[in-house]
Structure formats: C-alpha cells, structure tokens
C-alpha cells in the first residue's frame, strides 16, 4: 500500500489514495500506523476516495481509531495531494466529508504545485443540541462547566465536528494534558468534543492551543481555528477576520457576513512517500 505523509502546520496525516471505499480494517490500521514509536507516526489516517457528490471524498481515522467528521488541516492536505499529482487540473475543487458535506477548496498554484489552500468550511452550527452538547439553547456562549472542582466557561461551535472554546490568560503555556482529556469526555458532550484554549491578543489576532478529540494535543487544528474565530466574534472579542496562531503556525480565518460561511486559508506540505506491506 502506497502512502504519502503530509501536514498542515504540523498537524500530520498519512494519506492513502486509490481505494474505492473505506477498508474494513481502517480503524485498526489507523491505530497501528499513527503510532509514533512503532508506526509511521501521525495524528490521523486519511483515505482519498471517489465521491458521487463532489470531486473527491475524504475519510479521516484518528490516531485512536475513531473516525473524525471533518478536519480543516486534512482537507488542505487532500486538496494539495490531488492537484500536485494531476488527479485534477482544477484550482477549485469540492471534497466531500461525512460531517460537513461537500466543501469548496480554492488552490493557489505555482509551477504546477499548490502553495496555498483556501477552504470554504461552511456555516457554523451554534444550537446547543446540534453541536452537540446537552445544553438546549440557540447559542451556547460563556456557559459554565466544572471539572475536578474548577469552573471554566465555554462557547460551543460545530464546524461539522464539535468544539468547545475556552478563554484563558495564556493559551500558549496552558496545561493541555491536565484539562484537555477531562473536558473532551465531559458528560456535557454526548459525542466527546475538541477543546480549544484561546487568548485574544487583539481584534485580529488570537493565540490558540488545542486538545483534539481522538488524537490529544496537536500542533494545529483547522476546524478548531474556525470555531475559535466564530466563538470570539460571538463573545465580542474580535472582528470577523483574524489570524489564529497555533503551535504549528498561523491560519487566516474569515466568518463572512454575506453567506455565514467560515473560510480558512493556510498551507499544506508533503513530507515523504512510502510503501507499506499491509
């Protein structure tokens, strides 16, 4: 089985193309191959598949074997992969996801290679039960949640996958390992949740660190950056366009007033290719 290792701001994936459907053993393979000591090492295993609704479909298996509904960094990697390898000659493609439907991706190309990727991430879902949370409200903003005797306040956003955004004094040095796993599995989130810890530095710049559902701490999370911008607008902390700074780099996020969609612009990089005897 041929594979390509790629990353978006350090959020890394093993990409596999050429299959016609998700293999039955995809979950087991993800756990095996994503292991950073006994496998290739990655945050997820991504299959690029045919689609009846879009140009391509992607299915994402997290490093723990669970399936992610959507991933902003992975979709940029998939878009670059299909363009760079001549699987499409279009600089605007659609990629189907299981959680957010078919999403439009715009590519900026130089010398036959995609160098920048802008993704229409769709409209955010804000109703509490649809994110989902157990909070029955039109919007869940600055809502209290208690873990081990400590109270946080979170804003809930779905970008096709669930997020809770929590503002802290210093996101860069915040202890993800202490609080991330406990919040991810809190009973208030029926399908678990991605947890973003954010610090707003200005109206157009936000520091964010993430504990990803099914993967733990990652260097970047595209949907998490989108959720953070939406949350920051809802809380009156930023404008509708801002740079979200993650451990692996920066993403430009825009929440359009015209169509209510969130747009993410950032890089994707190929690391290497290889062959597996599986």
């Amino acid at each position: 089985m041929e594979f390509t290792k790629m990353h978006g701001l350090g959020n890394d994936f093993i990409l596999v193309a050429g299959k016609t459907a998700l293999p039955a053993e995809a979950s087991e393979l993800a756990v095996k191959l994503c292991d950073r000591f006994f496998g290739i090492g990655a945050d997820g295993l991504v299959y690029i598949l045919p689609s009846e609704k879009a140009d391509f479909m992607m299915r994402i298996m997290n490093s723990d074997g669970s399936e992610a509904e959507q991933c902003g960094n992975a979709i940029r990697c998939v878009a670059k992969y299909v363009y760079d390898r001549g699987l499409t000659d279009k600089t605007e493609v659609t990629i189907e996801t299981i959680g957010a439907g078919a999403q439009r991706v715009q590519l900026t190309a130089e010398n036959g290679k995609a160098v920048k990727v802008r993704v229409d991430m769709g409209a955010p879902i804000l109703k509490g039960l649809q994110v989902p949370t157990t909070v029955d409200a039109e919007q869940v903003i600055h809502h209290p949640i208690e873990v081990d005797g400590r109270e946080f306040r979170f804003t809930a956003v779905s970008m096709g996958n669930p997020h809770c955004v929590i503002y802290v004094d210093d996101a860069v040095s915040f202890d993800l390992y202490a609080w991330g796993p406990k919040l991810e599995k809190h009973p208030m989130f029926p399908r678990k949740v991605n947890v973003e810890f954010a610090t707003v530095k200005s109206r157009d710049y936000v520091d964010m660190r993430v504990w990803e559902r099914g993967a733990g701490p990652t260097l970047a999370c595209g949907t998490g950056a989108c959720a953070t911008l939406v949350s920051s607008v809802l809380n009156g902390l930023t404008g509708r366009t801002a740079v979200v700074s993650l451990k692996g780099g920066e993403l430009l996020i825009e929440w359009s007033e015209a169509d209510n969609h969130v747009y993410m612009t950032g890089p994707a990089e190929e690391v290497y290719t290889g062959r597996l005897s599986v």
Side-chain angles (χ1 to χ4, degrees):
M1 181 177 78
E2 293 184 352
F3 72 91
T4 299
K5 180 76 179 290
M6 299 188 72
H7 76 88
L9 301 182
N11 189 196
D12 57 344
F13 307 95
I14 302 162
L15 273 66
V16 176
K19 303 287 185 182
T20 58
L22 187 72
E25 69 277 13
S27 180
E28 296 174 4
L29 273 176
V31 174
K32 178 181 178 181
L33 299 181
C34 292
D35 190 294
R36 296 191 182 277
F37 298 99
F38 297 101
I40 297 168
D43 293 320
L45 173 61
V46 179
Y47 286 91
I48 303 173
L49 303 169
S51 171
E52 296 181 357
K53 301 177 181 178
D55 295 313
F56 302 93
M57 182 178 191
M58 72 172 188
R59 298 284 296 271
I60 312 151
M61 310 307 296
N62 292 317
S63 57
D64 70 350
S66 62
E67 184 168 11
E69 301 96 334
Q70 161 63 315
C71 177
N73 288 316
I75 201 170
R76 295 202 315 278
C77 290
V78 168
K80 178 176 173 61
Y81 180 98
V82 298
Y83 184 83
D84 288 3
R85 279 165 173 72
L87 300 180
T88 181
D89 60 359
K90 298 189 295 184
T91 54
E92 183 167 321
V93 297
T94 53
I95 298 174
E96 182 183 356
T97 67
I98 64 167
Q103 296 188 298
R104 292 183 294 115
V105 183
Q106 294 177 324
L107 300 163
T108 301
E110 294 178 3
N111 301 317
K113 301 290 185 182
V115 295
K116 186 167 65 174
V117 186
R118 183 176 189 257
V119 185
D120 178 351
M121 299 292 288
I125 297 168
L126 302 176
K127 290 185 178 181
L129 297 180
Q130 294 179 13
V131 171
T133 75
T134 57
V135 183
D136 187 1
E138 286 296 305
Q139 296 180 349
V140 183
I141 301 174
H142 201 59
H143 191 85
I145 185 170
E146 186 174 324
V147 180
D148 285 356
R150 177 171 177 176
E151 183 179 279
F152 294 96
R153 296 272 174 166
F154 77 93
T155 298
V157 179
S158 172
M159 294 302 309
N161 56 353
H163 295 267
C164 81
V165 181
I166 296 171
Y167 295 95
V168 295
D169 291 336
D170 185 2
V172 173
S173 62
F174 192 81
D175 192 346
L176 289 175
Y177 290 91
W179 302 104
K182 296 172 183 176
L183 288 160
E184 175 194 357
K185 300 173 183 177
H186 194 282
M188 198 172 285
F189 306 109
R191 296 210 314 264
K192 302 182 183 179
V193 76
N194 299 282
V195 189
E196 285 77 39
F197 298 98
T199 302
V200 176
K201 308 297 286 187
S202 71
R203 296 287 297 178
D204 58 7
Y205 198 92
V206 183
D207 280 336
M208 187 269 275
R209 296 295 182 266
V210 61
W211 180 275
E212 286 201 53
R213 180 186 59 163
T218 60
L219 296 182
C221 177
T223 56
C226 294
T228 297
L229 186 277
V230 171
S231 170
S232 297
V233 173
L234 293 175
N235 282 277
L237 301 173
T238 68
R240 298 183 75 95
T241 299
V243 171
V244 178
S245 175
L246 307 109
K247 192 170 185 179
E250 297 179 343
L251 291 171
L252 176 65
I253 311 297
E254 311 158 66
W255 186 14
S256 169
E257 284 189 274
D259 62 9
N260 194 39
H261 285 209
V262 181
Y263 294 86
M264 171 190 62
T265 303
E269 302 291 339
E270 182 171 323
V271 183
Y272 59 85
T273 62
R275 181 183 294 272
L276 294 164
S277 56
V278 295

